[in-house]
């Protein structure tokens, strides 16, 4: 609708209202309208309108546009008032505010640390460009009843997939090796991969200098930045020559950025073309067309839209459809990169998860610990309720609505949550190095990531809302008449929610304590397991240098002559690993329809004496018997599988040869210490060995003995670095996952207990405050300090006892299920539960004693003066 012809310009009026405070705009508009009508009669409508605009513009000055306190929106003023009152309450109750903030910050810090750890685990391998289309070939093989899973496959399978299955965009072979790299005087033993060109593209390799393998040159190598720096310092490594195992020479074609720590290939320090490996490795030459030699890895990239499950179904029976299918019935399948790290466990042909269990477990612990901290906030806030009851009563009596009071208390909790978040950032920054060490991670706070701060703000607001919900609703429900008349008395039913919350805290805490004890008991139980040999003073050295193969006898003679070595031998694999197995083995009475997997170990004559294995029956290998080249020693597990009570003297046929059993040894734990030992045999073979085993003499110190051993090795292989491993250290690393879980769970259990103690402190404060006059009367009537302490402690003891009764069966159920994952496991002894309960009870009494004794020592005259 158009303005009447005598009206002032409406747009100028709207501009005035938009820029000026409301109360000033109305006043100015009235004056301008009156002046406008007067001018219309004097100078006419046109000039009056122009002068109206001029006057409006002249009034738009900062002094007139400034909004005073009364002109601000009501919401802004209210929020400022809420925050002002919140700050005053924090300053007035410094001790409780600090306890509240410290407890909340501790819970938030724990949740944040666990969140960083979970993010690191869940983002594993996501640095690759085609992460969602990358996969690794695996196979299920059937030995007897259960299917086993392996990620090693035959070489011909790669070409079969490339040529006959269009679902694959690319397929590449790979094999990992520990190699001595020599550049000038610098020699390092490092792990790297021999790969086909397609694998480089799959790995999204970031080449920072040079090219990938120098185009078509197979005698080339790619180095990680860290390895290039270790070999060449600050010099340019491109086109420099490197000797591999003192055999072949390759040229540096390029340098790539190290793979990040949360990456499957984080320990890969160099890459060499597969063609180089195929041309120089005897095993690769032999296995080129061999379908039953499973020693290599195959990576694949699917075409867009291809389904992993459907492609796996297509390739499953490739080997079984060919001529002469093997008896172990291999089934090939694709394991997508998204599951490599967290879903790596298989049982009888089914993926049963893996580390993902611990991701969700610790995620749940993080939520629970934060919830415990929020419960503390609720308890400590409501424990101070009577201190603010009159404030609530006065504000309600002068017209405050309950919704306004709820908003007030929520604003206080939100302020506390934001301050606690800032404090938790400090806690995380201080504890992160230790947390990284315990969890074996390289995490850091993403300071420059806006999503982190956005998530942190949302996290703080959510925590504040959760923590402040009960206090806000509880405090705002006070009736002003009763409060102001002094009739405000809290009955016992009002304390029930707080008792429930504290009971929940201690139920969780006791469960975590029991769980932590069981985890460490399981680790110690496996560590105490007899391993069948002596680890003390035993070291292993990889035989990377060819000179060591050719001079075994002389090397052993010189080592023994040093006096620093008590024994020396060679073996086909490490004492703490099992690398080879066979189904081509038979004995008298063996069922023809069974093909069990038996692990094969090839050793030199002195192996048993060096490692100190324990003979149960028969004799050890000896050079005094020339027939020992066709002799075999069995472990207990294989004897049990054979079903022969006394196998010494029996004939075992393996690989087309007959072997005579000369002895039986106790089971040697070479693989997972939590699982049964696999059936295994040992035979003498001086060619199929790659590990040197040395028993250091107990008469010399380890430092002196190793120095003497190194001198001997340098005489035979001067170009190879002296790289050794203590067997007891290698064996101890087998417990790494369980120990990390135990340390993390133990740390979280301690924090949960501390946070729960803060909750007890809050409830004890509340109880002492509520019963001040009762205590005064009791003391006047003759009650001692001990009587008062017992009176206040009894309720908490009952509370913790109830929590224990709830926690014990819960912990038993969860831990029984967890222990089922280990075939060699500890028992759930009753004393563990009793110890956890007594510990929780002791901590409870120590926590509440401070408030109880303080209340008991209070002068009764002061508490009764107002009566």
């Amino acid at each position: 609708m158009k303005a009447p012809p005598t009206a002032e310009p409406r747009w100028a009026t709207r501009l005035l209202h938009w820029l000026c405070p409301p109360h000033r705009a109305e006043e100015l508009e009235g004056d301008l309208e009156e002046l406008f009508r007067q001018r219309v009669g004097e100078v006419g409508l046109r000039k009056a309108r122009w002068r109206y605009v001029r006057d409006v513009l002249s009034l738009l000055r900062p002094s007139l546009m400034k909004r005073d306190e009364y002109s601000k929106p009501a919401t802004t003023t209210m929020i400022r008032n809420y925050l002002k009152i919140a700050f005053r309450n924090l300053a007035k109750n410094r001790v409780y505010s600090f306890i509240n903030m410290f407890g909340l910050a501790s819970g938030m810090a724990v949740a944040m640390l666990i969140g960083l750890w979970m993010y690191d685990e869940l983002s594993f391998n996501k640095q690759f460009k085609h992460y969602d289309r990358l996969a690794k070939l695996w196979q299920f093989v059937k030995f007897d009843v259960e299917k086993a899973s392996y990620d090693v496959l035959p070489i011909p399978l790669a070409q079969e997939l490339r040529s006959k299955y269009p679902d694959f965009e690319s397929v590449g072979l790979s094999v990992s090796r520990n190699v001595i790299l020599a550049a000038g005087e610098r020699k390092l033993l490092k792990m790297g991969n021999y790969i086909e060109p397609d694998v480089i593209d799959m790995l999204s390799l970031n080449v920072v200098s040079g090219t990938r393998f120098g185009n078509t040159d197979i005698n080339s190598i790619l180095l990680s930045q860290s390895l290039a720096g270790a070999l060449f310092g600050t010099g340019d490594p491109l086109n420099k020559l490197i000797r591999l195992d003192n055999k072949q020479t390759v040229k540096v074609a390029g340098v790539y950025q190290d793979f990040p720590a949360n990456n499957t290939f984080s320990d890969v320090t160099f890459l060499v073309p597969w063609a180089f490996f195929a041309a120089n490795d005897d095993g690769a030459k032999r296995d080129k067309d061999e379908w039953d030699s499973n020693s290599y890895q195959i990576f694949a990239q699917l075409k867009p839209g291809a389904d992993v499950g459907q492609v796996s179904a297509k390739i499953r029976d490739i080997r079984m459809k060919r001529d002469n299918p093997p008896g172990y019935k291999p089934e090939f399948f694709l394991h997508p990169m998204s599951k490599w790290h967290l879903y790596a466990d298989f049982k009888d042909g089914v993926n049963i998860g893996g580390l993902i269990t611990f991701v969700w477990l610790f995620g749940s612990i993080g939520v629970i610990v934060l919830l415990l901290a929020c419960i503390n906030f609720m308890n400590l806030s409501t424990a101070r309720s009577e201190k603010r009851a009159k404030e609530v009563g006065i504000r309600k009596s002068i017209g405050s609505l309950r919704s306004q009071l709820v908003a007030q208390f929520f604003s206080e909790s939100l302020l506390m949550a934001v301050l606690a978040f800032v404090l938790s950032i400090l806690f995380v920054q201080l504890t992160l190095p230790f947390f990284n060490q315990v969890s074996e991670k390289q995490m850091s706070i993403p300071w420059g990531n806006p999503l982190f701060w956005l998530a942190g703000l949302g996290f703080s607001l959510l925590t504040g809302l959760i923590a402040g919900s009960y206090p806000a609703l509880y405090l705002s429900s006070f009736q002003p008449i009763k409060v102001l008349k002094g009739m405000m008395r809290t009955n016992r039913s009002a304390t029930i929610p707080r008792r429930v919350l504290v009971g929940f805290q201690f139920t969780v805490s006791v469960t975590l304590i029991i769980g932590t004890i069981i985890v460490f008991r399981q680790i110690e139980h496996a560590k105490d397991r007899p391993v069948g040999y002596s680890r003390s003073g035993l070291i292993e050295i990889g035989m990377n240098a060819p000179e060591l193969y050719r001079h075994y006898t002389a090397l052993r003679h010189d080592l023994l002559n040093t006096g620093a070595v008590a024994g020396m031998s060679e073996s086909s694999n490490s004492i703490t690993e099992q690398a080879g197995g066979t189904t081509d083995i038979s004995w008298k009475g063996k069922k023809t329809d069974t093909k069990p997997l038996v692990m094969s170990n090839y050793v030199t004559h002195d192996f048993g004496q060096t490692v100190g294995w324990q003979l149960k029956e028969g004799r050890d290998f000896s050079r005094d018997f020339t027939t020992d080249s066709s002799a075999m020693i069995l472990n207990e597990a294989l004897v049990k599988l054979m079903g022969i009570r006394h196998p010494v003297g029996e004939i075992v046929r393996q690989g087309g040869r007959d072997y005579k059993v000369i002895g039986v040894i106790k089971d040697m734990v070479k693989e997972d210490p939590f699982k049964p030992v696999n059936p295994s045999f040992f035979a003498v073979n001086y060619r199929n060995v790659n590990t040197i085993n040395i028993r250091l003499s107990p008469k010399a110190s380890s430092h002196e003995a190793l120095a003497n051993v190194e001198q001997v090795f340098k005489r035979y292989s001067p170009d190879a670095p002296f790289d050794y491993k203590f067997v007891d250290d290698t064996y101890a690393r087998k417990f790494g996952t369980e120990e990390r879980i135990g340390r993390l769970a133990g740390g979280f259990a301690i924090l949960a207990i501390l946070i729960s103690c803060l909750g007890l402190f809050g409830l004890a404060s509340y109880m002492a405050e509520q019963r001040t006059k009762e205590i005064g009367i009791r003391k006047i009537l003759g009650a001692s300090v001990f009587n008062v302490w017992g009176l206040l402690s009894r309720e908490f003891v009952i509370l913790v006892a109830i929590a224990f009764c709830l926690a014990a069966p819960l912990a038993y159920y969860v831990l029984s299920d967890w222990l089922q994952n280990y075939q060699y496991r500890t028992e759930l002894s009753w004393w563990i539960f009793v110890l956890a309960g007594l510990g929780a009870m002791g901590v409870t009494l120590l926590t509440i004693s401070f408030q109880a004794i303080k209340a008991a020592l209070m002068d009764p005259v002061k508490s009764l003066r107002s009566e």
Side-chain angles (χ1 to χ4, degrees):
M1 182 177 178
K2 293 184 180 181
T6 58
E8 69 279 0
R10 292 294 178 87
W11 67 268
T13 305
R14 286 195 294 268
L15 179 63
L16 181 70
H17 279 275
W18 185 54
L19 292 176
C20 289
H23 67 290
R24 285 185 181 148
E26 292 176 2
E27 181 181 347
L28 292 172
E29 182 184 4
D31 294 339
L32 290 172
E33 284 182 357
E34 184 177 349
L35 185 59
F36 173 75
R37 294 190 186 95
Q38 181 180 342
R39 285 173 176 169
V40 168
E42 294 177 354
V43 299
L45 178 62
R46 181 183 178 87
K47 288 185 178 182
R49 289 171 67 88
W50 278 109
R51 291 181 181 181
Y52 182 88
V53 173
R54 183 193 62 187
D55 292 340
V56 169
L57 295 177
S58 66
L59 289 171
L60 300 181
R61 298 190 297 273
S63 59
L64 294 176
M65 294 168 61
K66 181 179 179 181
R67 298 171 183 263
D68 56 30
E69 295 296 324
Y70 299 100
S71 64
K72 291 183 178 180
T75 303
T76 304
T77 304
M78 190 178 299
I79 291 175
R80 284 195 61 187
N81 184 54
Y82 288 162
L83 293 176
K84 187 182 296 183
I85 295 175
F87 271 113
R88 287 174 178 173
N89 280 317
L90 292 179
K92 182 180 179 181
N93 303 290
R94 293 184 182 88
V95 175
Y96 280 90
S97 298
F98 174 77
I99 294 174
N100 232 343
M101 192 182 303
F102 182 82
L104 201 56
S106 299
M108 295 174 79
V110 170
M112 199 178 304
L113 285 171
I114 292 178
L116 289 173
W117 182 82
M118 290 180 65
Y119 177 78
D120 188 84
E121 291 289 325
L122 294 172
S123 61
F124 221 86
N125 288 331
K126 286 191 176 180
Q127 306 86 359
F128 296 116
K129 184 178 179 181
H130 302 294
Y131 166 81
D132 57 337
R133 292 195 284 131
L134 294 177
K136 188 178 185 181
L137 270 292
W138 281 60
Q139 63 174 323
F140 293 127
V141 294
K142 191 171 184 179
F143 302 116
D144 282 347
V145 180
E146 189 171 303
K147 290 180 181 179
S149 56
Y150 299 95
D151 64 346
V152 287
L153 301 113
I155 292 176
L157 177 61
Q159 182 57 34
E160 183 90 357
L161 297 176
R162 275 190 288 257
S163 60
K164 297 183 179 180
Y165 294 88
D167 293 305
F168 293 99
E169 187 173 292
S170 57
V171 176
L173 284 159
S174 175
V175 65
S176 300
R177 289 289 186 269
N178 285 310
V179 177
I180 298 173
L181 296 95
E185 296 299 321
R186 298 185 182 182
K187 303 176 182 67
L188 298 171
L189 179 64
K190 293 292 182 179
M191 201 279 280
N193 280 28
Y194 296 89
I195 59 174
E196 289 190 313
D198 284 345
V199 179
I200 292 184
D201 294 326
M202 295 181 203
L203 300 182
S204 306
L205 204 66
N206 183 12
V207 178
V208 296
S209 64
T211 59
R212 298 179 175 181
F213 293 146
N215 297 325
T216 59
D217 185 6
I218 68 168
N219 295 298
S220 58
I221 186 172
L222 295 178
L223 304 178
S224 66
Q225 285 181 303
S226 59
L227 180 56
L231 286 174
F232 301 102
T234 57
D236 184 7
L238 294 182
N239 298 318
K240 297 291 179 62
L241 298 180
I242 294 177
R243 292 278 291 172
L244 303 181
D245 283 340
N246 203 28
K247 297 177 184 178
Q248 301 91 15
T249 301
V250 292
K251 182 188 294 185
V252 179
V255 177
Y256 63 88
Q257 187 178 25
D258 288 64
F259 291 105
N262 61 338
N263 190 291
T264 300
F265 302 92
S266 58
D267 56 351
V268 175
T269 58
F270 68 87
L271 299 170
V272 179
W274 176 268
F276 175 89
F277 177 73
N280 293 282
D281 186 83
D282 293 335
K285 295 176 184 177
R286 181 182 63 250
D287 297 336
K288 181 180 179 182
D289 300 311
E290 180 56 60
W291 275 89
D292 292 325
S293 181
N294 299 292
S295 303
Y296 310 94
Q297 295 179 328
I298 300 177
F299 299 99
Q301 181 173 317
L302 298 177
K303 288 184 177 179
D307 182 79
V308 172
Q310 294 177 0
V311 177
S312 292
K314 294 177 182 178
I315 67 174
R316 183 183 62 186
D317 297 323
I318 289 179
R319 181 68 186 92
M320 297 303 295
K321 292 178 180 178
R322 297 184 64 84
D323 297 334
N324 302 317
Y328 55 84
K329 301 178 182 178
E331 299 177 6
F332 302 127
F333 69 96
L334 291 169
H335 193 45
M337 180 177 275
S338 58
K339 294 186 176 182
W340 288 4
H341 180 63
L342 299 176
Y343 299 86
D345 293 347
F346 296 89
K347 184 177 182 180
D348 198 20
V350 178
N351 190 308
I352 57 172
L355 290 177
I356 188 64
T357 303
F358 300 117
V359 171
W360 298 128
L361 171 64
F362 285 123
S364 301
I365 290 176
V367 172
I368 289 173
V369 171
L370 180 60
L371 185 58
L372 297 182
C374 292
I375 289 173
N376 281 348
F377 185 95
M378 298 177 188
N379 282 336
L380 287 170
S381 297
T382 54
R384 308 296 295 170
S385 59
E386 283 204 355
K387 298 293 184 181
R388 305 194 65 180
K390 291 182 178 180
E391 173 194 344
V392 173
I394 292 172
R395 292 181 64 178
K396 277 192 171 183
S397 64
I398 61 176
S400 289
L401 300 176
R402 186 179 181 184
S403 60
Q404 293 174 319
L405 293 172
V406 168
Q408 167 66 52
F409 294 124
F410 265 126
S411 67
E412 292 182 15
S413 64
L414 290 173
L415 175 63
M416 183 75 76
V418 171
L419 294 176
F421 174 71
V422 175
L423 187 59
S424 70
I425 291 286
L426 177 62
F427 288 169
V428 170
Q429 184 65 24
L430 294 175
T431 59
L432 197 55
F434 174 74
F435 188 75
N436 279 334
Q437 183 180 359
V438 172
S439 61
E440 296 185 6
K441 293 285 187 182
Q442 296 180 18
M443 300 178 296
S444 61
I445 298 177
W447 299 105
N449 189 344
L451 290 178
F452 169 76
W453 295 108
L454 186 63
L457 179 60
F459 174 63
S460 302
L461 295 178
L462 180 62
T463 303
L465 291 174
I466 294 173
S469 57
Y470 179 61
L473 298 175
Y474 175 73
L475 294 174
S476 63
S477 65
F478 290 166
Q479 298 180 14
I481 296 178
K482 290 184 177 181
V483 170
L484 297 178
K485 283 187 175 183
M487 301 169 59
M488 186 67 188
R489 292 291 183 269
T490 307
N491 55 32
R492 293 181 61 86
S493 62
T495 64
I496 291 178
R498 286 185 286 280
R499 292 191 181 97
V500 171
L501 293 175
V502 173
F504 172 77
Q505 285 182 310
F506 268 85
T507 301
V508 172
S509 300
V510 173
T511 303
L512 286 175
I513 291 173
I514 296 173
T516 302
I517 295 174
I518 293 297
V519 169
F520 281 110
R521 284 267 299 170
Q522 172 65 8
I523 295 170
E524 292 303 315
H525 180 71
K527 284 184 176 180
D528 294 339
R529 179 183 184 182
V531 295
Y533 63 95
S534 175
R535 301 193 302 269
S536 178
L538 190 60
I539 66 172
E540 294 180 328
I541 301 172
M543 296 175 64
N544 293 81
E547 297 86 355
L548 301 178
Y549 287 95
R550 296 194 294 264
H551 302 98
Y552 168 73
T553 303
L555 176 64
R556 180 174 179 274
H557 179 269
D558 289 351
L559 285 172
L560 293 175
N561 283 342
T562 62
V565 173
M568 181 264 194
S569 65
E570 295 174 338
S571 57
S572 57
N573 46 61
S574 169
I575 302 169
T576 58
E577 295 178 2
Q578 188 65 66
T582 180
T583 58
D584 185 14
I585 186 170
S586 59
W587 55 85
K588 183 180 178 180
K590 177 179 178 289
K591 296 179 180 180
T592 56
D593 60 340
T594 61
K595 285 188 174 293
L597 177 66
V598 178
M599 311 313 293
S600 56
N601 301 270
Y602 297 102
V603 299
T604 57
H605 284 90
D606 311 289
F607 179 79
Q609 178 188 359
T610 303
V611 304
W613 64 16
Q614 302 170 27
L615 277 168
K616 285 190 64 180
E617 185 179 347
R619 64 174 178 86
D620 203 343
F621 294 120
S622 173
R623 291 185 176 83
D624 297 333
F625 297 88
T626 57
T627 56
D628 275 8
S629 59
S630 296
M632 186 177 283
I633 292 178
L634 316 179
N635 72 350
E636 293 175 297
L638 180 52
V639 172
K640 183 178 180 181
L641 176 67
M642 294 169 64
I644 302 175
R645 188 171 183 181
H646 299 290
V648 174
E650 296 288 338
I651 300 298
V652 174
R653 188 168 182 81
Q654 193 275 319
R657 291 183 59 189
D658 287 339
Y659 291 84
K660 183 179 180 180
V661 179
I662 64 170
V664 177
I665 62 168
K666 289 188 176 181
D667 287 336
M668 292 176 61
V669 180
K670 301 188 68 176
E671 298 179 278
D672 193 332
F674 299 100
K675 294 182 179 179
V677 176
N678 291 315
S680 306
F681 71 82
F682 296 81
V684 173
N685 188 324
Y686 280 75
R687 292 174 298 176
N688 190 21
V689 290
N690 57 30
T691 302
I692 296 175
N693 313 292
I694 295 176
R695 170 78 61 186
L696 300 179
S697 174
K699 298 179 181 180
S701 67
S702 296
H703 178 74
E704 294 175 355
L706 289 171
N708 291 330
V709 171
E710 184 176 9
Q711 289 180 2
V712 175
F713 269 83
K714 287 299 182 183
R715 288 205 299 268
Y716 287 92
S717 182
D719 295 328
F722 181 61
D723 187 75
Y724 62 89
K725 297 176 182 177
F726 278 94
V727 172
D728 51 1
D729 290 339
T730 305
Y731 186 78
R733 283 195 287 271
K734 292 180 178 291
F735 302 92
T737 300
E738 284 74 16
E739 287 184 330
R740 283 195 300 274
I741 294 167
R743 288 194 296 266
L744 290 172
F748 296 145
I750 292 172
L751 285 171
I753 282 289
L754 292 176
I755 293 173
S756 298
C757 287
L758 287 175
L760 274 182
F761 183 84
L763 194 55
S765 302
Y766 172 78
M767 295 293 292
E769 187 176 278
Q770 291 295 310
R771 305 179 72 171
T772 300
K773 292 182 173 60
E774 176 190 348
I775 293 170
I777 294 172
R778 287 179 179 271
K779 289 193 70 177
I780 289 175
L781 295 176
S784 64
V785 173
F786 180 78
N787 294 142
V788 175
W789 176 82
L791 175 70
L792 295 178
S793 301
R794 186 183 304 116
E795 185 171 343
F796 296 105
V797 170
I798 295 173
L799 197 62
V800 175
I802 295 173
F804 172 76
C805 292
L806 295 174
L810 175 63
Y812 183 86
Y813 173 78
V814 173
L815 293 169
S816 296
D817 186 61
W818 177 71
L819 286 174
Q820 293 304 312
N821 296 321
Y822 302 96
Q823 292 173 296
Y824 188 81
R825 54 182 176 266
T826 187
E827 298 294 330
L828 289 173
S829 303
W830 62 269
W831 62 265
I832 297 174
F833 296 85
V834 174
L835 180 64
L838 292 176
M841 191 68 70
V843 170
T844 300
L845 292 175
L846 286 175
T847 303
I848 63 178
S849 292
F850 173 78
Q851 283 293 344
I853 294 174
K854 179 183 176 182
L857 293 176
M858 186 179 296
D859 186 356
V861 175
K862 291 183 179 180
S863 61
L864 298 175
R865 181 174 296 167
S866 60
E867 294 296 318

